[in-house]
Amino acid sequence: METLYSITVGTLTACSVFLILRGRSFPIVIGLTMLSYAVNLFLFSTGRLVINQLPLVGMSEASSDPLPQALVLTAIVIGFAMTAYAIILAVRVRGEIGSDEVNDYNYAEQEGQR
Amino acid sequence: MLANHLVILPILVPLMAALLQLLPWGENPQYYRRIIGIVASSVTLILAILLVISVQDQILVYALGSWQAPYGIVLVADKLSALMVALTAVLALPVLIFACHGEDNLGSHFQALYQFQVVGIMGAFLTGDLFNLFVFFEILLISSYALLMHGGGKLKLRATLHYVVLNLTGSAIFLISLGVLYGITGTLNMADMADKVAALQGDDAAIARAGGMLLFVVFALKAALLPLYFWLPQAYANTTGTVAALFAIMTKVGIYAIVRVFTLIFGADGGESANLIQDWLWWLGLFTILLGSAGVLGSRDLRLVVAYLVLVSVGTMLTTLSLGHTDAISAMLFYLVHSTLVAGALFLLADLIAEQRGKTASRIVKGRKMAQHNLLGAMFFLAAITVIGIPPLSGFLSKLFILEAARTGAQVLLLWPLILGATFLMMIALSRAGSRMFWHTFDGKPNETAHPMWQHAAVMMLLVGAVALTVFANSVSQYTDAIATQLATPAEYISAVLQTGGSNE
């Protein structure tokens, strides 16, 4: 289970890093979303992976750690809100600047001609 | 009752103010919102001063909901936290007064966002729990995303997009490092983690070091250290003056976090993970000074010049921090107070100058005379000699402390030429900016835009702060010495948190 889990987190992170390094805002936002999934999965695993155990000491053979679950919940809420904000911002930038290139070096020259 | 809850009040007061400001206030809401904002900032300032007084001989620990550390979340006010809280309050009040004369009308909910930003900053300074630090970082970042765009416009939007994407990535790395550290130590309380990290051996210590380095990346992004500073000049130069002035404390949040985590958890007592980032800080800090001063010289816009000045100050502080001994940390903190106040004043001043010049704005070119030419010129002169470090003001003193702190051969060989060279470049850049803007003016009528007295007063308050720092340099440096001594003995902090935590019935 640990191997499968770490491969999943690793693949998600690798894909997200690739996407974040693109030059347009849409892939970047998708990349950030994927990165937050990867991070949430990773945080969840920091309490060690156990199945079918209660988060209470002494009630079952090996208790599962409740704290990472609380942390993940916080991280999900913040990550979700921030993704929504980033999407709106990207759309706004696309509308106002007329391009979704994040680093459009020709922008300064074009400005004078409009 | 006040004394027991003093630690949490600097967070609660701005939070309450922000919530009140969000209520519908009828026909003319801005009037009431401004009053609430100013009152809240003044109260916060008084509370911060009380906090500084009450941490003189003890470390205040506030267990939220009386959940004992290390299981609950604690707020901790030691001398360093109290200094940072006081500095934030001292900066926030004049900047808010400045903003209340028109700039808060450029977009909606400026006032509430401003208070939320203060909540986040205060919280980051006071918390004793790493995950809580993450949450407060998010609070201050979310409000900064909105504040950075305050007023709108293409350039601001673009700078904000870069800033948001970078900081979202930074938050993800922060969470990963928290996960790593929690997975290996089983705690998120900083004091408890310091104990656990010091006891780690072999592979476990290596994983903890990896987590610590990830944390360093995040804090270096906030502090704008060399490879991670590229967001700062654009973001600070394009936003409105008040927001940039408030952001003068934002890089210091990163520096505070570096100081806190890397003296407490990965400091000299850190076992196998001791002194994790000293070498990194030294070299990256030196190159930050180098590139920052090149930026100061190369900028053709006054706002950009000030933004690069912030960068130089970040480099100077982190290089000094890497020296590690108590004198260096004390000098660094003195410089931190000085640079925050003067950077705030310069951003506000650049805004006044840009508005009074009209079309040429803050670009360093020949332009029309300003309506309040002499007043602005005098304030610019005062701010410039302070930031450059010409005697007699605080810039000179703080640089002197830093140069004194660098003692051994290699340190003197690299640090002295860089700091003095940067000072020289800053002097050239600022005298060029000043003479172009104030002396090379077109003949004829000056511009008509003038600013109300209170806005000048706000800038003056920050400059007077810098003057006061010079006059009371002795007591301030005694206080920073005490902070440095406290940071050098983390055992005191650890035992205060783990033993007396929760005694706030």
Side-chain angles (χ1 to χ4, degrees), chain B residues 209 213 216-217 220 225-227 262 275-288 318-319 322:
Chain B
R209 282 201 296 274
M213 286 310 288
F216 176 54
V217 170
L225 195 62
L226 173 67
F262 293 97
N275 296 332
L276 188 60
I277 56 161
Q278 301 282 355
D279 294 340
W280 289 92
L281 267 186
W282 170 251
W283 289 108
L284 294 179
L286 286 179
F287 280 106
T288 311
L318 290 178
T319 317
S322 77

Side-chain angles (χ1 to χ4, degrees), chain A residues 20 25 28 32 35 39-40 42-43 46-48 65 67-68 71 74-75 78 82-83 85-86 89-90 92-93 96-97 101-104 107 111 114, chain B residues 131 134-135 138 142 145-146 149 152-155 157-158 160-162 164-165 168-169 171-173 175-180 182-184 186-188:
Chain A
I20 288 173
S25 49
I28 290 178
L32 285 172
L35 184 59
V39 167
N40 291 341
F42 175 73
L43 265 187
T46 55
R48 305 294 183 271
D65 191 345
L67 190 66
L71 301 187
T74 317
I78 293 177
M82 283 301 94
T83 309
Y85 183 82
L89 186 66
R92 184 83 189 277
V93 171
E96 291 229 351
I97 298 178
E101 286 281 342
V102 177
N103 266 328
D104 189 6
Y107 171 67
E111 199 182 27
R114 276 184 207 149
Chain B
F131 197 81
F134 166 76
V135 173
E138 286 301 313
I142 291 168
Y145 297 155
M149 277 208 304
K154 283 182 188 177
L155 290 172
L157 264 179
R158 184 171 283 265
T160 309
L161 184 67
H162 290 181
V164 169
V165 169
L168 286 182
T169 319
S171 303
I173 298 176
L175 281 175
I176 293 175
S177 62
L178 288 182
V180 170
Y182 178 76
I184 210 74
T187 181
L188 285 165

Side-chain angles (χ1 to χ4, degrees), chain B residues 226 229-230 232-234 237 287-312 364 421-422 425-430 432-433:
Chain B
L226 173 67
Y229 77 80
F230 296 102
L232 185 139
Q234 286 307 316
F287 280 106
T288 311
I289 301 179
L290 197 68
L291 287 182
S293 46
V296 169
L297 200 63
S299 320
R300 291 180 189 165
D301 188 297
L302 185 60
R303 285 184 176 142
L304 211 52
V305 171
V306 185
Y308 275 108
L309 286 175
V310 172
L311 210 58
V312 175
I364 303 175
L425 294 184
M426 278 150 72
M427 189 158 71
I428 296 177
L430 284 172
R432 184 188 58 181

Side-chain angles (χ1 to χ4, degrees), chain A residues 53-88:
Chain A
Q53 304 294 331
L54 296 174
L56 295 169
V57 177
M59 299 290 281
S60 52
E61 294 162 33
S63 55
S64 66
D65 191 345
L67 190 66
Q69 302 175 16
L71 301 187
V72 168
L73 212 60
T74 317
I76 288 175
V77 173
I78 293 177
F80 183 68
M82 283 301 94
T83 309
Y85 183 82
I87 290 176
I88 295 296

Side-chain angles (χ1 to χ4, degrees), chain B residues 104-163:
Chain B
D104 54 348
N105 282 329
L106 294 175
S108 47
H109 294 300
F110 174 87
Q111 295 280 352
L113 285 169
Y114 190 92
Q115 297 295 338
F116 277 126
Q117 174 92 55
V118 174
V119 173
I121 296 172
M122 296 289 191
F125 288 148
L126 285 171
T127 184
D129 182 283
L130 271 181
F131 197 81
N132 203 227
L133 182 68
F134 166 76
V135 173
F136 277 118
F137 262 41
E138 286 301 313
I139 293 176
L140 75 88
L141 283 176
I142 291 168
S143 24
S144 76
Y145 297 155
L147 280 178
L148 206 58
M149 277 208 304
H150 178 68
K154 283 182 188 177
L155 290 172
K156 275 182 203 160
L157 264 179
R158 184 171 283 265
T160 309
L161 184 67
H162 290 181
Y163 179 78

Side-chain angles (χ1 to χ4, degrees), chain B residues 111-443:
Chain B
Q111 295 280 352
L113 285 169
Y114 190 92
Q115 297 295 338
F116 277 126
Q117 174 92 55
V118 174
V119 173
I121 296 172
M122 296 289 191
F125 288 148
L126 285 171
T127 184
D129 182 283
L130 271 181
F131 197 81
N132 203 227
L133 182 68
F134 166 76
V135 173
F136 277 118
F137 262 41
E138 286 301 313
I139 293 176
L140 75 88
L141 283 176
I142 291 168
S143 24
S144 76
Y145 297 155
L147 280 178
L148 206 58
M149 277 208 304
H150 178 68
K154 283 182 188 177
L155 290 172
K156 275 182 203 160
L157 264 179
R158 184 171 283 265
T160 309
L161 184 67
H162 290 181
Y163 179 78
V164 169
V165 169
L166 258 177
N167 277 302
L168 286 182
T169 319
S171 303
I173 298 176
F174 200 164
L175 281 175
I176 293 175
S177 62
L178 288 182
V180 170
L181 288 172
Y182 178 76
I184 210 74
T185 61
T187 181
L188 285 165
N189 183 291
M190 289 191 221
D192 196 27
M193 191 180 281
D195 264 356
K196 299 263 165 68
V197 165
L200 288 179
Q201 299 285 331
D203 288 353
D204 287 353
I207 296 179
R209 282 201 296 274
M213 286 310 288
L214 280 173
L215 269 187
F216 176 54
V217 170
V218 181
F219 297 152
L221 173 69
K222 304 280 186 286
L225 195 62
L226 173 67
L228 302 167
Y229 77 80
F230 296 102
W231 58 272
L232 185 139
Q234 286 307 316
Y236 281 36
N238 287 323
T239 188
T240 49
T242 40
V243 176
L246 182 65
F247 280 17
I249 194 83
M250 289 268 285
T251 52
K252 275 72 180 180
V253 178
I255 291 173
Y256 164 82
I258 290 178
V259 174
R260 173 64 78 215
V261 169
F262 293 97
T263 56
L264 183 65
I265 303 177
F266 299 100
D269 301 342
E272 287 191 26
S273 322
N275 296 332
L276 188 60
I277 56 161
Q278 301 282 355
D279 294 340
W280 289 92
L281 267 186
W282 170 251
W283 289 108
L284 294 179
L286 286 179
F287 280 106
T288 311
I289 301 179
L290 197 68
L291 287 182
S293 46
V296 169
L297 200 63
S299 320
R300 291 180 189 165
D301 188 297
L302 185 60
R303 285 184 176 142
L304 211 52
V305 171
V306 185
Y308 275 108
L309 286 175
V310 172
L311 210 58
V312 175
S313 74
V314 169
T316 313
M317 277 183 272
L318 290 178
T319 317
T320 318
L321 176 65
S322 77
L323 299 179
H325 53 83
T326 49
D327 282 355
I329 293 179
S330 170
M332 192 275 290
L333 292 169
F334 192 93
Y335 186 81
L336 189 148
V337 176
H338 144 79
S339 77
T340 306
L341 293 178
V342 75
L346 271 170
F347 274 121
L348 294 182
L349 209 51
D351 213 41
L352 288 181
I353 292 173
E355 272 177 35
Q356 296 212 357
R357 273 160 61 92
K359 223 174 136 190
T360 47
S362 58
R363 271 171 295 145
I364 303 175
V365 290
K366 199 170 172 175
R368 283 175 72 183
K369 260 186 111 145
M370 289 162 253
Q372 291 155 320
H373 202 81
N374 295 337
L375 180 63
L376 285 183
M379 289 199 292
F380 181 79
F381 180 69
L382 195 65
I385 61 169
T386 313
V387 76
I388 296 167
I390 300 174
L393 290 177
S394 59
F396 170 69
L397 280 178
S398 53
K399 281 193 177 159
L400 200 64
F401 287 148
I402 288 178
L403 295 181
E404 259 183 11
R407 287 196 204 111
T408 63
Q411 292 170 354
V412 173
L413 198 66
L414 286 166
L415 191 62
W416 281 45
L418 263 177
I419 287 191
L420 295 175
T423 307
F424 179 62
L425 294 184
M426 278 150 72
M427 189 158 71
I428 296 177
L430 284 172
S431 36
R432 184 188 58 181
S435 52
R436 280 274 167 81
M437 291 181 144
F438 291 102
W439 292 339
H440 284 239
T441 47
F442 293 122
D443 299 330

